[in-house]
Amino acid sequence: MTKRIVITPKASADLDKHFEYLAQYNIEVALNFFDAARQTFAQIARTPGIGSPYIAKNQTLQGLRRWAVKGFNTQLIFYFERDDFIEIIRVLNAARDIETIFTQKP
């Protein structure tokens, strides 16, 4: 069963920032990124267990998983599998200090 995808405001902002960054250099690559992210969300919705568990010190992140955007392996999708839906919480570059990002206050 395919689950519904819910994209948090932070994840939506992450997508916009990645798109804007890529578009500065090549609009076609930026459009391909956006399309690949949507395809990857759909893949996660079909097979939620596909992502690797993300082990974090923050206990509120228990159960968090990560999976790379297809064709953009440095862009990681972080998500929770909920009973009725998949919650996309962030889309971050793997080179960033992800642990620090997840410990920052909103």
Side-chain angles (χ1 to χ4, degrees):
M1 179 176 110
T2 300
K3 292 190 175 194
R4 178 173 57 97
I5 294 287
V6 174
I7 301 172
T8 65
K10 282 187 177 185
S12 182
D14 292 338
L15 286 169
D16 290 345
K17 287 177 189 173
H18 292 315
F19 180 86
E20 289 171 13
Y21 175 79
L22 293 170
Q24 292 177 72
Y25 304 100
N26 189 323
I27 190 66
E28 189 171 319
V29 171
L31 291 169
N32 288 340
F33 165 75
F34 195 74
D35 190 45
R38 288 183 14 184
Q39 289 176 21
T40 306
F41 292 158
Q43 180 184 26
I44 292 169
R46 288 188 305 273
T47 54
I50 197 169
S52 302
Y54 180 76
I55 308 302
K57 295 174 186 170
N58 184 343
Q59 291 300 313
T60 62
L61 298 176
Q62 199 83 336
L64 185 64
R65 299 183 82 78
R66 68 175 175 220
W67 189 248
V69 174
K70 181 181 178 184
F72 294 84
N73 294 337
T74 61
Q75 303 303 320
L76 302 175
I77 298 168
F78 291 87
Y79 67 96
F80 287 107
E81 179 182 3
R82 306 296 188 193
D83 289 338
D84 298 333
F85 61 95
I86 300 297
E87 181 181 24
I88 308 292
I89 64 162
R90 297 299 302 256
V91 180
L92 301 170
N93 187 292
R96 296 188 61 193
D97 184 352
I98 293 168
E99 185 70 30
T100 298
I101 290 169
F102 282 137
T103 58
Q104 293 173 345
K105 298 284 182 192

